Amino acid sequence: MTAEGFLGALAAEDADALRAVGVRRTYGANVTLVHQADEAGPVVVLLGGRVKVAISQAGREAILGVAGPGELVGELAAIDDSPRSTTVTTLEPVEALVVRRSDFSALLERRPGIALVILRTVARRLRYADAQRVQFATQDVVGRLAQRLLELCERFGKPASNGGIEVTLPFSQEELASWVGASREGVGKAFQLLRSLHIVETGRRRVTVLDIGALERRAG
């Protein structure tokens, strides 16, 4: 999704109708908005801040992605009345629009334009998941890290004073490693290689991409 995400893709009248039935709330960092395996509940539209979407199995967490402003979480369980399939946790302070499941379902019946945007959103997620599976099967850790950095640059990057693209990482190196599908040590070595090639610079929870073309080539 783009930076505007689901909310930006809605027609103005549909977005207004959604806001009318939702309640604005704020959350601090490291707050769980959706718990995996819980019963279906409210739908959340992010207005500010980022969250991680993860799945837990055998006591281990695998990060599936990062959602940011304008994006929708928790809608699948609300639509098919199934248990939550993922856990969604804030990575930083978040402002969100929270919509009760009953209000959300009624809104979809009244406004098919919203349902169409949700369908497109789900299709994008499926393509993203398919692309990740291919990356895990065909790319090394450097390639997968490059893919994730490109995604962060596209969605959350800002121009840096040295002409590069700077991304503030909202998560720890362990969490980044989980998203890449590698160990922390493997991601550390991949960063070391990218730094030695002057493709990136790193700081505390910050990455500056110096050569976006070289990073794209590393991502395959």
Side-chain angles (χ1 to χ4, degrees), residues 36-143:
Q36 182 180 335
D38 276 2
E39 294 183 359
V43 173
V44 179
V45 182
L46 301 174
L47 302 176
R50 292 170 287 184
V51 302
K52 66 177 179 179
V53 181
I55 188 169
S56 297
Q57 190 170 9
R60 298 185 63 181
E61 180 186 77
I63 295 179
L64 304 180
V66 177
E71 296 191 68
L72 180 69
V73 296
E75 79 285 356
L76 292 183
I79 291 172
D80 67 1
D81 196 24
S82 60
R84 305 284 199 181
S85 59
T86 60
T87 294
V88 178
T89 307
T90 61
L91 293 167
E92 55 198 0
V94 162
E95 182 180 5
L97 185 72
V98 180
V99 183
R100 291 188 307 176
R101 179 173 173 267
S102 58
D103 291 334
F104 184 71
S105 297
L107 195 63
L108 294 185
E109 291 181 3
R110 297 196 311 270
R111 294 189 169 273
I114 297 178
L116 180 59
V117 173
I118 289 175
L119 183 60
R120 290 170 177 163
T121 300
V122 172
R124 290 189 187 98
R125 289 178 186 166
L126 289 174
R127 286 197 295 271
Y128 180 82
D130 288 343
Q132 278 191 314
R133 283 193 288 269
V134 171
Q135 291 161 16
F136 290 152
T138 62
Q139 293 183 323
D140 60 10
V141 176
V142 176

